[in-house]
Amino acid sequence: MNATDDERDRKTGERIDISTAMRRASAQLAELLRCEPGSVSAVKSTEEGWSADVEVTEIEKVPDTMSVMASYHVALDPEGRLVGYERTRRYARGQIDRR
């Protein structure tokens, strides 16, 4: 996310696209939590803006498969500014969901 994109969105008040929402969700959450950004596992348009599920590395360990990961549900306004987040899951990097 660069300053010119942010400035343009604020001036126009337009809704950002899904790929921009995905990048901003990951970058803003990682900056706020001061941890390494991981991946975005879901992005959805909502009436209030955007919602996303973002994976981050909370604690680096050796070996890497023992690092502690967390999944956060993130809410963005239509212009892509973070308005809320909640940790929904914490797990070891190598863990696979059984569904």
Side-chain angles (χ1 to χ4, degrees):
M1 173 171 64
N2 64 42
T4 55
D5 287 344
D6 232 10
E7 289 168 10
R8 186 185 68 237
D9 291 338
R10 284 188 190 127
K11 288 178 184 173
T12 62
E14 291 182 10
R15 184 182 191 86
I16 59 171
D17 61 31
I18 193 166
S19 62
T20 303
M22 185 174 79
R23 285 190 308 273
R24 289 187 183 175
S26 178
Q28 291 178 75
L29 183 66
E31 183 179 339
L32 183 66
L33 299 176
R34 299 187 189 275
C35 56
E36 183 182 328
S39 62
V40 177
S41 56
V43 179
K44 183 174 23 171
S45 178
T46 67
E47 288 182 19
E48 296 82 26
W50 295 94
S51 71
D53 293 333
V54 179
E55 311 301 317
V56 298
T57 305
E58 287 197 331
I59 302 171
E60 289 280 344
K61 297 237 180 175
V62 176
D64 191 39
T65 54
M66 296 306 295
S67 292
V68 177
M69 303 293 293
S71 183
Y72 284 84
H73 185 74
V74 176
L76 303 173
D77 68 10
E79 292 81 35
R81 291 182 295 268
L82 184 72
V83 294
Y85 71 94
E86 173 184 15
R87 184 170 62 195
T88 57
R89 183 171 175 244
R90 204 166 190 213
Y91 57 97
R93 184 184 296 270
Q95 185 177 349
I96 297 173
D97 287 339
R98 297 179 193 258
R99 291 185 185 187

